[in-house]
């Protein structure tokens, strides 16, 4: 059974399923899959000197999925043979649980690494997902980037971080 | 005309609801709707320089014209992924 390659979910993330999804996607391509890279973002116990108890993620789901699609299109534009799958979890997550899972497949490793790194950098810039950190003594909404998909400088920054 | 408004994260806390319905004049822009919300919920004004907006689940500009029945979302700075969002570190190394 095939899974949605781009999704927001309340379920525990299954990286193997994402790897399977991108692997079969590239096999249709002439060169075939030569490399798969993956990324799992976890809930960390310490942030900015605070001891974190749990995180709560919230998404504007329809726009989040559309923005994943946009990022996948940007990846295809830059690395035409690469395929990515992204699942982001929402709800309350304990320390050590995975909040985001990414798999990137390509005929060659350089593009697979770059596409995977680019995906997480762009997610943090433009996908409408927020986290609330509960720590010893209180809680706070974490606010990062003003989401602007058309900001060329941000996109360029993500490419630079992807080491291309 | 009538539009629905969705707000998220800390902005939702400020407004005290995830979803609202508001009347706006015909031809009103996203900005007009936002200005009305800030008048109602002054603490939301802190987001004037960092806000994003979407209309009918597509990112939109503040000067986008609204239509009857539109769903407008106001989005504070995002923070998906792991760790702190977009730290100014992690530059690429060729090592």
């Amino acid at each position: 059974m095939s899974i949605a390659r781009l999704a927001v979910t309340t379920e525990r993330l299954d990286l193997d399923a994402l790897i399977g999804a991108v692997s079969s996607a590239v096999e249709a391509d002439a060169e075939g899959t030569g490399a798969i890279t993956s990324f799992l973002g976890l809930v960390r116990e310490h942030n900015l000197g605070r001891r974190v108890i749990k995180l709560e993620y919230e998404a504007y789901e329809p726009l989040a999925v559309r923005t994943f699609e946009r990022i996948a299109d940007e990846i295809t534009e830059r690395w035409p043979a690469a395929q990515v799958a992204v699942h982001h979890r929402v709800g309350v997550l304990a320390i050590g649980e995975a909040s985001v899972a990414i798999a990137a497949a390509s005929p060659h490793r350089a593009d697979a690494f770059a596409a995977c790194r680019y995906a997480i950098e762009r997610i943090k810039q433009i996908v409408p997902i927020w986290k609330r950190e509960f720590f010893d003594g209180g809680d706070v909404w974490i606010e990062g980037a003003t989401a602007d998909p058309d900001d060329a400088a941000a996109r360029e920054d993500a490419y630079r971080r992807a080491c291309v | 005309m009538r539009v629905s408004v969705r707000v998220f994260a800390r902005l939702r806390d400020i407004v005290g609801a995830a979803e609202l319905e508001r009347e706006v004049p015909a031809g009103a822009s996203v900005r007009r709707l936002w200005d009305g919300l800030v008048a109602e919920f002054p603490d939301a004004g802190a987001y004037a320089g960092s806000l994003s907006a979407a209309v009918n689940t597509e990112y939109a500009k503040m000067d986008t014209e609204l239509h009857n029945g539109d769903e407008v979302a106001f989005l504070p700075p995002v923070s998906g992924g792991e760790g702190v969002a977009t730290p100014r570190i992690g530059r690429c190394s060729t090592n």
Side-chain angles (χ1 to χ4, degrees), chain B residues 40-63:
Chain B
E40 236 180 299
F41 308 100
D43 288 350
Y47 287 99
S50 62
L51 188 75
S52 301
V55 176
N56 300 331
T57 69
E58 292 278 12
Y59 276 110
K61 305 293 181 196
M62 292 302 273
D63 61 5

Side-chain angles (χ1 to χ4, degrees), chain A residues 58 60 124 126 143 147 163, chain B residues 12 47 52 59 71 82-83 92:
Chain A
E58 156 180 342
Y60 183 25
K124 293 170 82 85
I126 62 170
E143 295 181 345
C163 304
Chain B
R12 173 166 46 73
Y47 287 99
S52 301
Y59 276 110
E71 176 179 292
E82 94 300 354
C92 190

